[in-house]
Amino acid sequence: MATKRDTASDIITIPNILSFIRLCLVPLIVWLYCGKEDYTWAGIMLIISGITDIVDGFLARRFNWISDFGKILDPIADKLTQAAMLICLILRYPLILVPFGLMFVKELFMTVSGLLVIKRTGDVYSARWHGKVATCLLYFMMILHVFWTDIPEIWSNLTIIACAVMIAVSFWQYGKDNIKILQQHEKNKNNQ
C-alpha cells in the first residue's frame, strides 16, 4: 500500500519511539544473557521488547500513526533484537543456527527486493500475516529457550523446527509478493 511522504511530526510518534526503545534494549539483552548470564532478566527484557513491538503496531494502526520511517525502523528493531538473541542462544542450542540462517537469508533478500520495490514504485509495504506469524513463533521459541534452561531436547528441537518452517514459508511468500510487485510495475510502465 502506498503512503504519503513523512514529515517531522510523522517521524516523532509514540510507535517510532517504542521502536527506538527496542533498539536500545538489544545491547542490554545481550549483556544480560551472555555477560551476566542472568537469563531471567534477559528473558524479561526480551518480553518487554516483544510487548513494545505489539503496542507500537497497535498504536500505529489505531491512531493512523503509520509512517514510511516507522515501516523501516520497526522491522530493523525487530530483526536486530531477533538476530542478537538467536546468536546468544546458538551458543547453548546449536540447532538454532537453522532458523537464524533462514532468517539471515530471508532478511537479506527482503532488504534487496524491498529497496528495489521502493526505488521503482516509491511505495513502502507493511508486514504481512505470514511475517507476523513467523515473528510470533520466533519470539515464543526464543523466550522458551531463555527461561527453560533445561528444556528437553525433543521440545527444543520441535519448537526450533516449527519456527524454521514458518520463516521459510514467510520467505517464500514475501519473495513471491515482491517479485509480483516488481513485475506488475514493469508491465504498467511498458503499457504507458
Side-chain angles (χ1 to χ4, degrees):
M1 299 184 150
T3 60
K4 62 182 177 25
R5 297 291 175 237
D6 292 342
T7 63
S9 64
D10 295 323
I11 292 172
I12 303 172
T13 63
I14 293 171
N16 290 345
I17 291 168
L18 290 172
S19 292
F20 180 74
I21 289 169
R22 281 203 320 281
L23 279 173
C24 294
L25 285 176
V26 172
L28 177 61
I29 292 168
V30 172
W31 176 73
L32 286 168
Y33 191 88
C34 294
K36 289 201 63 155
E37 294 184 3
D38 189 336
Y39 305 133
T40 302
W41 276 105
I44 290 169
M45 291 300 112
L46 184 61
I47 290 170
I48 290 171
S49 179
I51 290 169
T52 63
D53 186 23
I54 293 166
V55 170
D56 84 45
F58 170 78
L59 291 175
R61 287 184 298 277
R62 176 75 169 90
F63 297 104
N64 198 26
W65 288 333
I66 297 169
S67 65
D68 286 347
F69 179 75
K71 288 181 186 178
I72 293 167
L73 181 63
D74 178 67
I76 287 172
D78 292 344
K79 299 315 168 195
L80 285 177
T81 302
Q82 295 162 12
M85 192 71 250
L86 287 172
I87 289 168
C88 291
L89 288 169
I90 286 169
L91 301 173
R92 294 182 63 208
Y93 308 98
L95 187 59
I96 288 179
L97 188 59
V98 175
F100 176 78
L102 282 169
M103 189 182 90
F104 180 80
V105 172
K106 173 187 168 248
E107 294 308 318
L108 185 62
F109 174 81
M110 292 305 302
T111 299
V112 172
S113 65
L115 288 173
L116 281 172
V117 167
I118 292 168
K119 181 179 178 192
R120 292 191 182 161
T121 68
D123 296 335
V124 178
Y125 291 81
S126 298
R128 297 188 200 51
W129 70 268
H130 47 82
K132 293 177 189 223
V133 171
T135 298
C136 286
L137 271 175
L138 184 62
Y139 270 92
F140 173 77
M141 184 270 296
M142 291 187 304
I143 289 167
L144 187 70
H145 283 81
V146 169
F147 283 110
W148 196 359
T149 55
D150 59 346
I151 185 171
E153 188 175 357
I154 185 72
W155 289 111
S156 175
N157 292 346
L158 283 173
T159 58
I160 292 168
I161 290 167
C163 182
V165 167
M166 195 60 220
I167 290 170
V169 166
S170 182
F171 180 16
W172 172 257
Q173 284 299 127
Y174 276 127
K176 279 186 5 184
D177 291 349
N178 280 357
I179 290 168
K180 185 177 178 181
I181 290 166
L182 290 169
Q183 288 173 338
Q184 186 63 45
H185 177 74
E186 284 302 312
K187 183 178 177 184
N188 292 344
K189 189 174 151 185
N190 291 336
N191 287 339
Q192 289 178 351

